[in-house]
Amino acid sequence: MSAHAAADPPDARTREVRRVLTLMLAVSLVLVTAKTAAGVLSGSLAVLGGAFDSALDVLTTVVAITLARVAGQEPDEQHPYGHEKFEALGALAMVAFLSITVYELVRTAVARIAGGGGERVDTSLGVWVMGGSLLIGLVASEYERRRGQALASELLLADAAHLRADVFVTLAVLIGLLLTRLGWRTGDAWTTLLVAVLIIRTGFHILRETIPVLVDEAAVEAAEIRRMAEAMDGVDAAYDVRSRGRREGARFAELTIAVQTGLDIEEAHEIADLVEGEVRRRLGARRVVVHVEPLSAAPARVREAGE
């Protein structure tokens, strides 16, 4: 048996993920400062609510930066498959923070609707600040989303989704302020309930992308890896195929190949090396392990298929 590891270290990717997250942290700090100041000066509870949501962005990004540092570490004795799952755990943390945001939005909106609206406020400052925040949030979330796709980072994609949720909240607050200026005192509350539904949808999307990583969903169909191996010279059959990891460079695969009975060890080892190299190259895997057995020792179903 032999094994191969991907040659490219994850250091560059990890540094880039952390760089993007640090930039997003700076953006979130600017937004929360501006919204808090505008909320206090204008007396708008809606704007202060937007500041609370941006403060959650700051917290989640700090958590994400910490997790990115851990996720980028090389495999060790305690974590032989690496630390990439910490990114997925970070994405789950984002969903938890999104849940807090939804709860606060719904609670506040229902209270305002029941009370017939809020106190009258000076909306001019709030409109300008929330309009600027909306533009900044749109640009930042789209940039982070694209970098997340380019780097195949669950953490960046989850953080971008949370930032987009903040954009929805900002938009709802802005619309609510404009409706308040027009005289509809509960308009912002009804809009906020719609935003809560959109945030729930965002959280569901994150879960749909993250859970397969945590439960080790197969990276590639076993039949596809089996076909790769059986197409190699000297391989009579391939079976017991397993794979995990959704990102190239962080995938792992394991399989058993059956070779002709009586083949000497060196020839069998050479065939295994060729299979490992081919599967690793085509999957973009970090590590591929191939077990070798003589065809006579393979399960009956495998022997029958190889005859």
Side-chain angles (χ1 to χ4, degrees):
M1 181 186 72
S2 59
H4 289 275
D8 297 330
D11 293 351
R13 174 183 178 274
T14 300
R15 285 196 299 270
E16 179 62 12
V17 168
R18 290 171 57 193
R19 186 193 69 80
V20 174
L21 287 172
T22 301
L23 179 60
M24 294 302 103
L25 177 61
V27 170
S28 295
L29 285 171
V30 170
L31 292 178
V32 72
T33 301
K35 290 178 183 179
T36 300
V40 171
L41 293 175
S42 68
S44 171
L45 292 177
V47 176
L48 284 175
F52 169 78
D53 188 67
S54 293
L56 281 177
D57 284 339
V58 172
L59 179 59
T60 56
T61 304
V62 169
V63 171
I65 291 173
T66 303
L67 289 170
R69 180 188 296 273
V70 176
Q73 295 177 5
E74 289 290 330
D76 52 39
E77 290 185 3
Q78 297 299 319
H79 306 90
Y81 293 101
H83 301 76
E84 283 82 6
K85 280 191 178 182
F86 280 98
E87 282 200 17
L89 289 174
L92 286 184
M94 303 298 178
V95 174
F97 290 127
L98 283 175
S99 300
I100 296 173
T101 300
V102 168
Y103 171 77
E104 289 297 327
L105 288 174
V106 172
R107 182 182 64 83
T108 303
V110 170
R112 288 185 180 180
I113 292 172
E119 297 294 329
R120 293 190 177 278
V121 296
D122 179 10
T123 59
S124 299
L125 178 60
V127 167
W128 281 105
V129 170
M130 299 310 286
S133 298
L134 179 64
L135 179 60
I136 293 173
L138 282 171
V139 173
S141 64
E142 179 62 15
Y143 169 75
E144 188 175 21
R145 183 188 68 81
R146 292 189 178 189
R147 293 308 298 149
Q149 289 181 336
L151 296 167
S153 170
E154 293 92 356
L155 201 54
L156 285 181
L157 291 173
D159 194 55
H162 191 266
L163 191 54
R164 282 198 303 276
D166 182 63
V167 168
F168 294 143
V169 172
T170 302
L171 179 61
V173 173
L174 181 59
I175 293 174
L177 289 171
L178 294 174
L179 290 174
T180 299
R181 294 185 72 173
L182 294 175
W184 188 20
R185 299 184 64 186
T186 59
D188 61 334
W190 286 108
T191 306
T192 299
L193 291 179
L194 174 60
V195 169
V197 174
L198 295 175
I199 294 177
I200 291 173
R201 180 176 176 273
T202 297
F204 175 76
H205 177 74
I206 294 174
L207 288 176
R208 188 177 61 186
E209 294 296 319
T210 301
I211 289 177
V213 176
L214 293 174
V215 300
D216 287 332
E217 182 179 277
V220 182
E221 290 289 337
E224 181 178 346
I225 298 177
R226 188 162 54 247
R227 284 193 296 269
M228 291 180 196
E230 292 178 348
M232 304 290 292
D233 291 338
V235 178
D236 289 317
Y239 53 99
D240 289 346
V241 178
R242 300 179 182 86
S243 65
R244 51 166 288 189
R246 304 186 71 183
R247 177 174 60 82
E248 287 195 15
R251 290 175 180 164
F252 295 84
E254 181 178 354
L255 66 153
T256 299
I257 61 173
V259 299
Q260 282 298 312
T261 302
L263 207 62
D264 65 46
I265 294 177
E266 289 186 1
E267 290 177 308
H269 188 274
E270 183 178 347
I271 293 171
D273 279 346
L274 292 174
V275 171
E276 289 172 1
E278 179 68 8
V279 173
R280 187 183 74 251
R281 181 185 66 81
R282 294 178 62 177
L283 292 186
R286 177 192 290 269
R287 187 177 180 86
V288 175
V289 176
V290 175
H291 306 274
V292 183
E293 290 186 353
L295 186 59
S296 60
R301 58 180 175 79
V302 175
R303 293 199 306 273
E304 293 170 1
E307 291 176 353

